[in-house]
Every structure is written in structure tokens, then in C-alpha cells.
Amino acid sequence: MRLDALASQSASSRMEQIAILDFGSQYTQVIARRVRELNVYSTLLRFDTPAEEIRKLNVKGIILSGGPSSVYADKAPLPDKAIFKLGVPVLGICYGVQVMGHFLGGKVEKGSKREYGKGTLKVIDSSCALFRNLPSELQVWNSHGDKLTRLPKNFVAVAITANSEYAAIENAEKRFLGIQFHPEVVHTPKGREILSNFVLGLCNCAATWTMKNYVDQAYAEIRAQVGSERVILGLSGGVDSSVAAALIHRAIGDQLTCIFVNNGLLRAREAEVVQEVFGRNFKLRLQYENASKLFLDKLRGVTDPEKKRKVIGKTFIDVFQAATRKAGKAKFLAQGTLYPDVIESVPIDGNPAHMIKSHHNVGGLPKNMSFQLVEPLRCLFKDEVRLLGTELGLPKEIVLRQPFPGPGLAVRCLGNLTPSKLNILREADRIVVEEMKAADWYYRTWQSFAVLLPVRSVGVQGDERTYAFTIALRIVESQDGMTADWVRLPYDLLEKISTRITNEVRGVNRVVLDLTSKPPGTIEWE
């Protein structure tokens, strides 16, 4: 499905918004998030979305993203030229300014010098609305090899860099602006102000996109879609499904049934916490399915990581389908699909090789499941989902919890899975979480967990030689999970975690620390 089709399906498409045309930049999602941080809704569309489709949206402005292509190359991604006749302000960023120049009569050529990394931008026309109330010199982040060498008609240069006399350009009458740098990244310190000048200033958007306002809108959308029909939701205890469950329940009450499957691969007390929070506190209709034995039986002897995932996925579908039949007739299935799940599952240029990922929530249902989907988080980013969860009154332990993989502890218990090994890992992981929270580090990291290695080593405990397992600590910081770096925890905290694990977890006599970033490693071990 096309990105513009996805956007037009949502009732949120009727609200005031900024449209961002995606030309394949790794920063396109960041642009969308930066606009939303200004409390203005943004929607990501394919680069070739027809102008007529954009006209149907309540768009106050358009941003053309960066991208890896050259505008003069064969099969370069180019937009519908009619977007420049929609009568709204347009901001071109990096490749986007080159598209603007190329389409409107300017010239783009390969630069004699490429600009990557930090640079200094000198504003030569302080009357330009984009640089209102900003210094005449700004640190910016560049990432380009091509550049404008001739301006389109009625455009003027408003800022320069050492390598470009047209680093920022403007057609004030048409409200068309272009910048060769990236204002959306943190390496452009005044980038937020530049985007604010465009979104709130030139586009005259009202800063009304807040989770408090979104809640009432979401209730109305859910009720309009569902009517008096029943909805089933697979509740994992993670942030996305938990927030979706709380939101839908507030909208339709007991028309929602949540199914929680215990696959035997959960963290310590996970099943109890989910039942406590959602069953007893939120009074959701919660159906608990304890399938631990079935999953572990299916996984007996399976050591290949990919095969583990496939076995877990197939078994979950079988268990969930049986549970839905037990729950009774329902027309809708609710999922915690997020905006990145939707947009990353669509090829930028129609070439599957350029897909970032194929997410399980998009197109992952068995063909024989006839539910219609309810996806109330479909237009939200992860940080917005957390804000929504807080607005709905979910506890901090749910809203701010770290990501947990769908296959659970199976990807952190290397080799053959047994109940005893999983218990060892579960207890070690519990200690990691407890100590990270006690030291105020848990909510400052992306993920922190234990991994059970399939090797034993000699140790000395209580004056006796032991031959026991090794636990690896994996503690990383990240913005989105795409890249990650290991966290430099205080030595005394690492020592306390190691001491507690070796003292309290029977079967472990050694703790090591994983110092690998992503890339070359992954965050999870399997």
C-alpha cells in the first residue's frame, strides 16, 4: 500500500498538518518527529505522491526530504511538479533543495568538494523568515556531494558555506525555501528553531498536536470504526500493546477482550504483573492462556536462532487462534502497530531491496484469520505512544519499560532451551533490572539485560570448585534501535550486579560485559 494511501485512510489526515515527501534519506523520520515536537502533526508520504492527493489533506506546508540520489541521474526519485502550484510553503532539505532547483529552472551539478559533517553557515540575508531571531553564523550538519550552481528564477541566496554560495535559498513571494544542510539532526544545534520558523512561522500552523487532544480524537475514531462489534487484542505486556489496550478499553469498555499468552519465555513475574495491572486495576476483560509447556516442548532440541523464532511464531499463532475461538465471536483484531511499522514496510521507490524492514504487525496475519484491523497507534511514533500511555494513567513501569523481543528470553538463552536454563536467565535478568532501577540507570538506557551463554567454566564458590554457566551483561544506549552503543556504567554498579548474580543465582559462577556496538553486533544475541 502506498504511503499517501495510508495517510488518507486515517481520520488524522483531516487535521492541520505538514506533509513530508520521502526521497529516501535516513533522516526522514527524524524530520517528522521534529515537526511533531513543535506540536504540529506531520505525515510522511512517498516522494511521488500526486499533488491532487496532497491537496485533499489539510496540508499547511510541504517539506522535501534529503536522499542518496542525484537529481540528474537516471531513475532519480522526483515528485509531482504540481506540488509547487498548491499555494503552500515548501521547504527543500539537501536533496530536496536540489529537486526544487532542478524543477524550477536552476541547475544542479556534482560539487568539486563534498560536504560531510559539521560546517559553518553564514546568513547573508537576515530578513529571510527561516532564520528569524537566529545568529548570523550557525553550526550545521552537511551530507551532500551535489550542489546548486544556478538559482531558479526569482530565488535569491540567503546563506552560504565555504563550499556553496547557495547553501540556503528563498523565493519570498512563493514562500519556497531550500537549505543544503540538515536542520533535523542534533548536530545542527539551532535546527529546531529553523524548523519552527518554517512550520509555525511561514506555514502558520497552530501548535495543537498533543496527546491530550489526541485521546478524544482516538476515542471517536475507535467508536466510529467498531460500532457495537467486539474487538480482540493480543496483549504482550509491552508498551505498544499495553497502550493500545488501555486506549481501546477507555473507548469501548467490555467490547474489548485482551488475550495474554504465557509462552514460558517471559521475564520474572511478567504474567503476574500483566494480570495485576490490566485485569485487576484497569478492569479489562483479560483472557490468560498459559501455554508454557507447549512452547518449551516445541522448542526442545532447537538451537538454530532463526528456527527458534519460526517455531515460536508458528506456535503463538496456533495458540492465539485457539484462544480467539474460546473468546467468542469478534469482528475486529486490535494491534499496537506504530507509524514506523507502517512507513518502513513500504519501499521508497518500489524496489524491495530498499525496504528498511518488514514488521510483524504489517501484513503478518495468517490468511485464514478474517478479522478487520483496529490500529489506534498507527500514526504515532514510539515516544508519542509513551506520552499517550502516561496520559491514560498507565504506570511508569509499563510506559517507560525497555523494549523486549517478541521471542522473549529465547533470544537471550543461547543454544538448547530448558526450563532450568530459562530459570537461571530469568533470575539473573531480574537482578539486572532491579539494580539498574535502584541506581537510577534503567530509564536512562535503551536496553539492559542478561544473556545466558551455552558454555560452562571453572569457578570457586564457598571453597568449592564449580563448573557453571556464564552470564553476559548487555547494556546499550540508542535512539531507535537501528544503531546502538554500549553504556559506560559506573564500576561499582557493574560490581554489584555481578556479585549479586554469582551469589544469588545457582548455576552461574562468572559474569562478563558485552562491549560491542551495533554495528557490527546486534543488540540481542540471537
Side-chain angles (χ1 to χ4, degrees):
M1 183 178 291
R2 294 169 56 91
L3 290 184
D4 48 293
L6 290 171
S8 63
Q9 282 186 351
S10 172
S12 62
S13 65
R14 297 192 295 268
M15 70 177 64
E16 185 178 274
Q17 62 188 284
I18 297 293
I20 301 164
L21 299 193
D22 182 10
F23 292 91
S25 169
Q26 59 183 316
Y27 303 128
T28 303
Q29 282 195 42
V30 183
I31 300 173
R33 294 179 67 173
R34 294 291 176 263
V35 172
R36 294 193 185 187
E37 287 169 5
L38 298 170
N39 298 121
V40 175
Y41 185 70
S42 62
T43 186
L44 282 170
L45 305 176
R46 276 183 57 107
F47 65 86
D48 57 356
T49 300
E52 274 306 308
E53 291 295 324
I54 298 175
R55 191 191 298 277
K56 294 174 185 176
L57 307 176
N58 188 17
V59 168
K60 300 280 285 185
I62 297 171
I63 296 177
L64 311 178
S65 84
S69 304
S70 295
V71 293
Y72 47 77
D74 291 340
K75 298 183 179 179
L78 298 173
D80 180 352
K81 193 173 183 177
I83 64 171
F84 296 106
K85 297 180 181 180
L86 292 176
V88 298
V90 180
L91 172 65
I93 295 176
C94 196
Y95 180 82
V97 69
Q98 295 164 19
V99 166
M100 184 182 292
H102 179 70
F103 267 19
L104 300 181
K107 189 173 184 179
V108 178
E109 297 180 286
K110 186 175 291 294
S112 57
K113 293 181 180 179
R114 298 186 300 175
E115 282 190 300
Y116 293 110
K118 291 181 182 179
T120 299
L121 184 82
K122 294 185 178 181
V123 179
I124 59 176
D125 184 352
S126 59
S127 68
C128 176
L130 208 58
F131 301 106
R132 182 173 291 129
N133 299 324
L134 291 176
S136 58
E137 286 197 5
L138 301 168
Q139 177 186 308
V140 297
W141 185 262
N142 295 298
S143 181
H144 64 94
D146 296 343
K147 67 176 185 178
L148 275 170
T149 57
R150 186 182 70 229
L151 289 181
K153 186 179 179 180
N154 298 324
F155 276 78
V156 296
V158 294
I160 62 174
T161 63
N163 191 43
S164 177
E165 57 186 319
Y166 304 132
I169 62 174
E170 178 187 34
N171 180 330
E173 180 185 355
K174 296 286 190 180
R175 296 181 296 170
F176 295 162
L177 302 106
I179 50 180
Q180 191 61 75
F181 60 91
H182 289 272
E184 69 273 22
V185 300
V186 295
H187 308 296
T188 300
K190 294 294 184 180
R192 178 187 173 91
E193 288 85 346
I194 292 170
L195 289 172
S196 176
N197 282 338
F198 177 73
V199 173
L200 302 181
L202 274 164
C203 299
N204 197 30
C205 291
T208 56
W209 170 251
T210 65
M211 285 303 104
K212 186 173 183 179
N213 291 340
Y214 177 74
V215 168
D216 291 336
Q217 173 195 317
Y219 290 162
E221 289 183 18
I222 293 166
R223 290 166 185 153
Q225 180 184 5
V226 171
S228 60
E229 299 290 342
R230 293 185 59 244
V231 180
I232 285 176
L233 181 145
L235 181 62
S236 70
V239 178
D240 304 338
S241 67
S242 297
V243 173
L247 181 65
I248 296 170
H249 181 255
R250 291 280 185 88
I252 61 173
D254 283 348
Q255 288 174 245
L256 172 70
T257 297
C258 293
I259 296 174
F260 176 67
V261 176
N262 184 347
N263 60 9
L265 305 169
L266 304 176
R267 289 168 285 196
R269 295 198 67 251
E270 183 85 2
E272 292 88 341
V273 169
V274 169
Q275 292 178 86
E276 177 69 29
V277 171
F278 293 97
R280 286 183 279 276
N281 292 351
F282 273 79
K283 308 297 183 184
L284 271 73
R285 181 175 289 175
L286 183 64
Q287 181 175 319
Y288 175 64
E289 299 288 337
N290 189 352
S292 303
K293 185 177 185 306
L294 174 64
F295 275 86
L296 294 182
D297 286 347
K298 296 281 187 181
L299 288 164
R300 186 177 294 119
V302 179
T303 58
D304 178 76
E306 196 57 34
K307 191 172 181 182
K308 278 185 186 177
R309 291 176 180 272
K310 289 179 178 178
V311 169
I312 293 168
K314 183 181 183 305
T315 306
F316 177 82
I317 289 173
D318 292 342
V319 171
F320 190 75
Q321 285 183 304
T324 60
R325 290 192 290 270
K326 189 190 304 183
K329 186 178 180 180
K331 182 176 181 180
F332 294 94
L333 176 69
Q335 292 189 150
T337 309
L338 304 191
Y339 200 34
D341 301 336
V342 176
I343 58 182
E344 289 187 358
S345 297
V346 181
I348 290 166
D349 58 2
N351 183 347
H354 292 174
M355 291 176 66
I356 300 172
K357 69 179 181 181
S358 179
H359 195 274
H360 63 84
N361 276 343
V362 182
L365 290 175
K367 292 181 180 179
N368 60 343
M369 292 187 79
S370 57
F371 294 110
Q372 294 181 32
L373 289 181
V374 177
E375 297 176 311
L377 313 181
R378 192 180 180 87
C379 67
L380 302 182
F381 288 103
K382 189 77 170 189
D383 54 338
E384 293 172 323
V385 172
R386 295 186 192 278
L387 290 173
L388 177 57
T390 301
E391 185 68 33
L392 292 170
L394 284 171
K396 179 180 179 181
E397 290 72 20
I398 295 289
V399 173
L400 297 181
R401 76 186 320 178
Q402 295 176 355
F404 188 63
L409 296 180
V411 297
R412 299 175 181 175
C413 185
L414 278 60
N416 187 36
L417 297 175
T418 65
S420 62
K421 287 172 65 177
L422 286 167
N423 285 335
I424 289 172
L425 176 57
R426 197 172 282 118
E427 284 304 298
D429 189 72
R430 175 184 59 80
I431 291 171
V432 173
V433 172
E434 285 179 0
E435 291 303 327
M436 290 289 288
K437 287 183 176 179
D440 196 29
W441 273 94
Y442 180 84
Y443 297 113
R444 295 159 61 186
T445 60
W446 177 261
Q447 279 177 270
S448 50
F449 56 87
V451 178
L452 182 64
L453 304 187
V455 293
R456 297 173 187 257
S457 63
V458 174
V460 178
Q461 292 173 297
D463 295 327
E464 294 183 2
R465 288 172 66 84
T466 59
Y467 190 57
F469 288 109
T470 297
I471 288 288
L473 302 180
R474 184 63 164 150
I475 302 162
V476 299
E477 56 188 357
S478 176
Q479 293 297 315
D480 51 16
M482 301 299 290
T483 62
D485 193 16
W486 63 281
V487 177
R488 280 68 170 168
L489 287 182
Y491 290 153
D492 57 346
L493 176 55
L494 290 170
E495 180 183 31
K496 190 169 186 180
I497 293 172
S498 175
T499 300
R500 280 198 62 191
I501 290 175
T502 53
N503 283 349
E504 299 176 28
V505 182
R506 188 175 297 276
V508 176
N509 64 3
R510 195 177 298 271
V511 176
V512 298
L513 180 64
D514 182 350
L515 306 183
T516 314
S517 61
K518 176 187 179 182
T522 55
I523 294 178
E524 299 292 346
W525 274 50
E526 282 196 346

mmCIF file of all heavy atoms in Angstrom, residues 434-463:
data_model
loop_
_atom_site.group_PDB
_atom_site.id
_atom_site.type_symbol
_atom_site.label_atom_id
_atom_site.label_comp_id
_atom_site.label_asym_id
_atom_site.label_seq_id
_atom_site.Cartn_x
_atom_site.Cartn_y
_atom_site.Cartn_z
ATOM 1 N N GLU A 434 16.586 -4.856 38.644
ATOM 2 C CA GLU A 434 16.475 -4.294 39.992
ATOM 3 C C GLU A 434 17.604 -3.315 40.285
ATOM 4 O O GLU A 434 17.373 -2.207 40.788
ATOM 5 C CB GLU A 434 16.483 -5.420 41.032
ATOM 6 C CG GLU A 434 15.190 -6.204 41.108
ATOM 7 C CD GLU A 434 15.257 -7.321 42.136
ATOM 8 O OE1 GLU A 434 16.319 -7.492 42.789
ATOM 9 O OE2 GLU A 434 14.246 -8.030 42.285
ATOM 10 N N GLU A 435 18.817 -3.705 39.969
ATOM 11 C CA GLU A 435 19.961 -2.852 40.292
ATOM 12 C C GLU A 435 20.037 -1.629 39.374
ATOM 13 O O GLU A 435 20.437 -0.546 39.804
ATOM 14 C CB GLU A 435 21.264 -3.655 40.222
ATOM 15 C CG GLU A 435 21.405 -4.698 41.308
ATOM 16 C CD GLU A 435 21.316 -4.099 42.707
ATOM 17 O OE1 GLU A 435 21.755 -2.939 42.896
ATOM 18 O OE2 GLU A 435 20.793 -4.780 43.611
ATOM 19 N N MET A 436 19.649 -1.790 38.119
ATOM 20 C CA MET A 436 19.620 -0.633 37.213
ATOM 21 C C MET A 436 18.600 0.397 37.689
ATOM 22 O O MET A 436 18.846 1.607 37.646
ATOM 23 C CB MET A 436 19.294 -1.097 35.796
ATOM 24 C CG MET A 436 20.404 -1.889 35.118
ATOM 25 S SD MET A 436 21.838 -0.885 34.670
ATOM 26 C CE MET A 436 21.180 0.051 33.287
ATOM 27 N N LYS A 437 17.453 -0.074 38.162
ATOM 28 C CA LYS A 437 16.445 0.847 38.681
ATOM 29 C C LYS A 437 16.899 1.489 39.984
ATOM 30 O O LYS A 437 16.717 2.701 40.181
ATOM 31 C CB LYS A 437 15.113 0.109 38.882
ATOM 32 C CG LYS A 437 14.394 -0.227 37.591
ATOM 33 C CD LYS A 437 13.051 -0.897 37.850
ATOM 34 C CE LYS A 437 12.296 -1.131 36.542
ATOM 35 N NZ LYS A 437 10.990 -1.795 36.761
ATOM 36 N N ALA A 438 17.494 0.707 40.856
ATOM 37 C CA ALA A 438 17.939 1.245 42.153
ATOM 38 C C ALA A 438 19.004 2.312 41.982
ATOM 39 O O ALA A 438 19.073 3.270 42.761
ATOM 40 C CB ALA A 438 18.467 0.100 43.031
ATOM 41 N N ALA A 439 19.832 2.176 40.951
ATOM 42 C CA ALA A 439 20.902 3.136 40.700
ATOM 43 C C ALA A 439 20.474 4.256 39.755
ATOM 44 O O ALA A 439 21.296 5.081 39.349
ATOM 45 C CB ALA A 439 22.120 2.414 40.129
ATOM 46 N N ASP A 440 19.193 4.292 39.407
ATOM 47 C CA ASP A 440 18.648 5.311 38.512
ATOM 48 C C ASP A 440 19.288 5.272 37.124
ATOM 49 O O ASP A 440 19.492 6.306 36.493
ATOM 50 C CB ASP A 440 18.816 6.708 39.127
ATOM 51 C CG ASP A 440 17.932 7.743 38.431
ATOM 52 O OD1 ASP A 440 16.867 7.362 37.921
ATOM 53 O OD2 ASP A 440 18.331 8.928 38.377
ATOM 54 N N TRP A 441 19.574 4.071 36.639
ATOM 55 C CA TRP A 441 20.134 3.913 35.297
ATOM 56 C C TRP A 441 19.167 3.235 34.333
ATOM 57 O O TRP A 441 19.319 3.330 33.121
ATOM 58 C CB TRP A 441 21.435 3.098 35.350
ATOM 59 C CG TRP A 441 22.646 3.942 35.603
ATOM 60 C CD1 TRP A 441 23.232 4.212 36.807
ATOM 61 C CD2 TRP A 441 23.431 4.637 34.626
ATOM 62 N NE1 TRP A 441 24.317 5.031 36.652
ATOM 63 C CE2 TRP A 441 24.470 5.308 35.305
ATOM 64 C CE3 TRP A 441 23.355 4.758 33.237
ATOM 65 C CZ2 TRP A 441 25.418 6.079 34.646
ATOM 66 C CZ3 TRP A 441 24.292 5.526 32.580
ATOM 67 C CH2 TRP A 441 25.312 6.180 33.280
ATOM 68 N N TYR A 442 18.147 2.575 34.849
ATOM 69 C CA TYR A 442 17.263 1.784 33.982
ATOM 70 C C TYR A 442 16.583 2.648 32.926
ATOM 71 O O TYR A 442 16.571 2.308 31.735
ATOM 72 C CB TYR A 442 16.208 1.066 34.826
ATOM 73 C CG TYR A 442 15.239 0.227 34.006
ATOM 74 C CD1 TYR A 442 15.569 -1.068 33.615
ATOM 75 C CD2 TYR A 442 13.992 0.730 33.618
ATOM 76 C CE1 TYR A 442 14.686 -1.846 32.875
ATOM 77 C CE2 TYR A 442 13.110 -0.035 32.878
ATOM 78 C CZ TYR A 442 13.453 -1.319 32.504
ATOM 79 O OH TYR A 442 12.586 -2.071 31.752
ATOM 80 N N TYR A 443 16.008 3.756 33.337
ATOM 81 C CA TYR A 443 15.262 4.601 32.397
ATOM 82 C C TYR A 443 16.171 5.522 31.587
ATOM 83 O O TYR A 443 15.694 6.289 30.750
ATOM 84 C CB TYR A 443 14.208 5.415 33.153
ATOM 85 C CG TYR A 443 13.169 4.536 33.825
ATOM 86 C CD1 TYR A 443 13.087 4.456 35.206
ATOM 87 C CD2 TYR A 443 12.293 3.763 33.074
ATOM 88 C CE1 TYR A 443 12.148 3.644 35.822
ATOM 89 C CE2 TYR A 443 11.354 2.941 33.680
ATOM 90 C CZ TYR A 443 11.290 2.888 35.055
ATOM 91 O OH TYR A 443 10.359 2.069 35.658
ATOM 92 N N ARG A 444 17.470 5.433 31.820
ATOM 93 C CA ARG A 444 18.429 6.243 31.056
ATOM 94 C C ARG A 444 19.098 5.435 29.951
ATOM 95 O O ARG A 444 19.927 5.963 29.214
ATOM 96 C CB ARG A 444 19.494 6.800 32.005
ATOM 97 C CG ARG A 444 18.940 7.784 33.026
ATOM 98 C CD ARG A 444 19.843 7.921 34.233
ATOM 99 N NE ARG A 444 21.166 8.408 33.886
ATOM 100 C CZ ARG A 444 22.171 8.499 34.759
ATOM 101 N NH1 ARG A 444 21.978 8.115 36.020
ATOM 102 N NH2 ARG A 444 23.340 8.946 34.382
ATOM 103 N N THR A 445 18.748 4.176 29.832
ATOM 104 C CA THR A 445 19.340 3.313 28.804
ATOM 105 C C THR A 445 18.241 2.736 27.918
ATOM 106 O O THR A 445 17.073 2.663 28.313
ATOM 107 C CB THR A 445 20.141 2.158 29.432
ATOM 108 O OG1 THR A 445 19.273 1.364 30.251
ATOM 109 C CG2 THR A 445 21.277 2.683 30.285
ATOM 110 N N TRP A 446 18.629 2.329 26.717
ATOM 111 C CA TRP A 446 17.668 1.744 25.784
ATOM 112 C C TRP A 446 17.283 0.336 26.225
ATOM 113 O O TRP A 446 16.114 0.000 26.309
ATOM 114 C CB TRP A 446 18.284 1.733 24.387
ATOM 115 C CG TRP A 446 17.443 1.101 23.324
ATOM 116 C CD1 TRP A 446 17.550 -0.160 22.835
ATOM 117 C CD2 TRP A 446 16.349 1.702 22.611
ATOM 118 N NE1 TRP A 446 16.598 -0.384 21.854
ATOM 119 C CE2 TRP A 446 15.857 0.741 21.690
ATOM 120 C CE3 TRP A 446 15.749 2.970 22.652
ATOM 121 C CZ2 TRP A 446 14.789 1.005 20.840
ATOM 122 C CZ3 TRP A 446 14.685 3.222 21.797
ATOM 123 C CH2 TRP A 446 14.222 2.254 20.915
ATOM 124 N N GLN A 447 18.305 -0.491 26.498
ATOM 125 C CA GLN A 447 18.052 -1.843 26.981
ATOM 126 C C GLN A 447 19.170 -2.275 27.924
ATOM 127 O O GLN A 447 20.341 -1.933 27.715
ATOM 128 C CB GLN A 447 17.956 -2.836 25.815
ATOM 129 C CG GLN A 447 16.606 -2.856 25.126
ATOM 130 C CD GLN A 447 16.572 -3.787 23.941
ATOM 131 O OE1 GLN A 447 16.870 -3.372 22.825
ATOM 132 N NE2 GLN A 447 16.207 -5.033 24.159
ATOM 133 N N SER A 448 18.787 -3.026 28.933
ATOM 134 C CA SER A 448 19.768 -3.607 29.869
ATOM 135 C C SER A 448 19.242 -4.975 30.285
ATOM 136 O O SER A 448 18.158 -5.084 30.848
ATOM 137 C CB SER A 448 19.955 -2.694 31.090
ATOM 138 O OG SER A 448 18.710 -2.330 31.664
ATOM 139 N N PHE A 449 20.027 -6.011 29.977
ATOM 140 C CA PHE A 449 19.534 -7.361 30.242
ATOM 141 C C PHE A 449 20.694 -8.344 30.354
ATOM 142 O O PHE A 449 21.845 -8.018 30.077
ATOM 143 C CB PHE A 449 18.564 -7.812 29.141
ATOM 144 C CG PHE A 449 19.122 -7.753 27.741
ATOM 145 C CD1 PHE A 449 19.833 -8.818 27.206
ATOM 146 C CD2 PHE A 449 18.930 -6.628 26.947
ATOM 147 C CE1 PHE A 449 20.326 -8.784 25.906
ATOM 148 C CE2 PHE A 449 19.420 -6.571 25.648
ATOM 149 C CZ PHE A 449 20.122 -7.646 25.129
ATOM 150 N N ALA A 450 20.344 -9.563 30.761
ATOM 151 C CA ALA A 450 21.314 -10.649 30.905
ATOM 152 C C ALA A 450 21.172 -11.629 29.749
ATOM 153 O O ALA A 450 20.084 -11.815 29.196
ATOM 154 C CB ALA A 450 21.101 -11.374 32.232
ATOM 155 N N VAL A 451 22.283 -12.243 29.367
ATOM 156 C CA VAL A 451 22.309 -13.286 28.344
ATOM 157 C C VAL A 451 22.975 -14.513 28.955
ATOM 158 O O VAL A 451 24.027 -14.394 29.593
ATOM 159 C CB VAL A 451 23.109 -12.837 27.102
ATOM 160 C CG1 VAL A 451 23.160 -13.953 26.067
ATOM 161 C CG2 VAL A 451 22.511 -11.567 26.504
ATOM 162 N N LEU A 452 22.375 -15.683 28.775
ATOM 163 C CA LEU A 452 22.960 -16.925 29.286
ATOM 164 C C LEU A 452 23.744 -17.594 28.162
ATOM 165 O O LEU A 452 23.181 -17.957 27.127
ATOM 166 C CB LEU A 452 21.874 -17.871 29.803
ATOM 167 C CG LEU A 452 22.387 -19.189 30.403
ATOM 168 C CD1 LEU A 452 23.218 -18.942 31.656
ATOM 169 C CD2 LEU A 452 21.213 -20.121 30.725
ATOM 170 N N LEU A 453 25.042 -17.740 28.366
ATOM 171 C CA LEU A 453 25.896 -18.353 27.351
ATOM 172 C C LEU A 453 25.879 -19.875 27.479
ATOM 173 O O LEU A 453 25.807 -20.412 28.588
ATOM 174 C CB LEU A 453 27.326 -17.831 27.494
ATOM 175 C CG LEU A 453 27.496 -16.307 27.437
ATOM 176 C CD1 LEU A 453 28.976 -15.943 27.427
ATOM 177 C CD2 LEU A 453 26.811 -15.733 26.211
ATOM 178 N N PRO A 454 25.982 -20.591 26.372
ATOM 179 C CA PRO A 454 25.885 -22.054 26.390
ATOM 180 C C PRO A 454 27.218 -22.723 26.707
ATOM 181 O O PRO A 454 27.552 -23.760 26.129
ATOM 182 C CB PRO A 454 25.425 -22.377 24.962
ATOM 183 C CG PRO A 454 26.073 -21.321 24.137
ATOM 184 C CD PRO A 454 26.090 -20.076 24.991
ATOM 185 N N VAL A 455 27.989 -22.112 27.581
ATOM 186 C CA VAL A 455 29.290 -22.677 27.961
ATOM 187 C C VAL A 455 29.409 -22.649 29.476
ATOM 188 O O VAL A 455 28.819 -21.810 30.149
ATOM 189 C CB VAL A 455 30.462 -21.880 27.336
ATOM 190 C CG1 VAL A 455 30.471 -22.046 25.830
ATOM 191 C CG2 VAL A 455 30.394 -20.405 27.706
ATOM 192 N N ARG A 456 30.195 -23.573 29.985
ATOM 193 C CA ARG A 456 30.474 -23.606 31.423
ATOM 194 C C ARG A 456 31.956 -23.364 31.643
ATOM 195 O O ARG A 456 32.791 -23.685 30.789
ATOM 196 C CB ARG A 456 30.075 -24.962 32.036
ATOM 197 C CG ARG A 456 28.588 -25.267 31.954
ATOM 198 C CD ARG A 456 28.331 -26.702 32.441
ATOM 199 N NE ARG A 456 26.954 -27.122 32.239
ATOM 200 C CZ ARG A 456 26.038 -27.178 33.199
ATOM 201 N NH1 ARG A 456 26.368 -26.840 34.440
ATOM 202 N NH2 ARG A 456 24.816 -27.582 32.935
ATOM 203 N N SER A 457 32.262 -22.787 32.786
ATOM 204 C CA SER A 457 33.660 -22.543 33.129
ATOM 205 C C SER A 457 33.885 -22.899 34.596
ATOM 206 O O SER A 457 32.945 -22.993 35.388
ATOM 207 C CB SER A 457 34.044 -21.090 32.869
ATOM 208 O OG SER A 457 33.292 -20.221 33.688
ATOM 209 N N VAL A 458 35.143 -23.063 34.958
ATOM 210 C CA VAL A 458 35.511 -23.439 36.329
ATOM 211 C C VAL A 458 35.509 -22.195 37.203
ATOM 212 O O VAL A 458 35.964 -21.124 36.798
ATOM 213 C CB VAL A 458 36.889 -24.106 36.352
ATOM 214 C CG1 VAL A 458 37.339 -24.373 37.787
ATOM 215 C CG2 VAL A 458 36.853 -25.405 35.560
ATOM 216 N N GLY A 459 34.978 -22.329 38.391
ATOM 217 C CA GLY A 459 34.986 -21.249 39.358
ATOM 218 C C GLY A 459 35.196 -21.788 40.756
ATOM 219 O O GLY A 459 35.288 -23.006 40.956
ATOM 220 N N VAL A 460 35.283 -20.873 41.731
ATOM 221 C CA VAL A 460 35.427 -21.252 43.142
ATOM 222 C C VAL A 460 34.353 -20.513 43.924
ATOM 223 O O VAL A 460 34.329 -19.280 43.954
ATOM 224 C CB VAL A 460 36.819 -20.896 43.692
ATOM 225 C CG1 VAL A 460 36.901 -21.263 45.170
ATOM 226 C CG2 VAL A 460 37.910 -21.586 42.904
ATOM 227 N N GLN A 461 33.456 -21.240 44.541
ATOM 228 C CA GLN A 461 32.400 -20.641 45.345
ATOM 229 C C GLN A 461 32.268 -21.427 46.646
ATOM 230 O O GLN A 461 32.048 -22.631 46.626
ATOM 231 C CB GLN A 461 31.067 -20.659 44.571
ATOM 232 C CG GLN A 461 31.061 -19.732 43.345
ATOM 233 C CD GLN A 461 29.803 -19.885 42.502
ATOM 234 O OE1 GLN A 461 29.553 -20.952 41.958
ATOM 235 N NE2 GLN A 461 29.020 -18.817 42.390
ATOM 236 N N GLY A 462 32.408 -20.703 47.762
ATOM 237 C CA GLY A 462 32.318 -21.366 49.063
ATOM 238 C C GLY A 462 33.382 -22.417 49.261
ATOM 239 O O GLY A 462 33.095 -23.500 49.771
ATOM 240 N N ASP A 463 34.610 -22.112 48.842
ATOM 241 C CA ASP A 463 35.749 -23.020 48.974
ATOM 242 C C ASP A 463 35.595 -24.297 48.145
ATOM 243 O O ASP A 463 36.304 -25.277 48.358
ATOM 244 C CB ASP A 463 35.987 -23.410 50.450
ATOM 245 C CG ASP A 463 36.405 -22.199 51.279
ATOM 246 O OD1 ASP A 463 37.087 -21.318 50.710
ATOM 247 O OD2 ASP A 463 36.035 -22.150 52.469
#
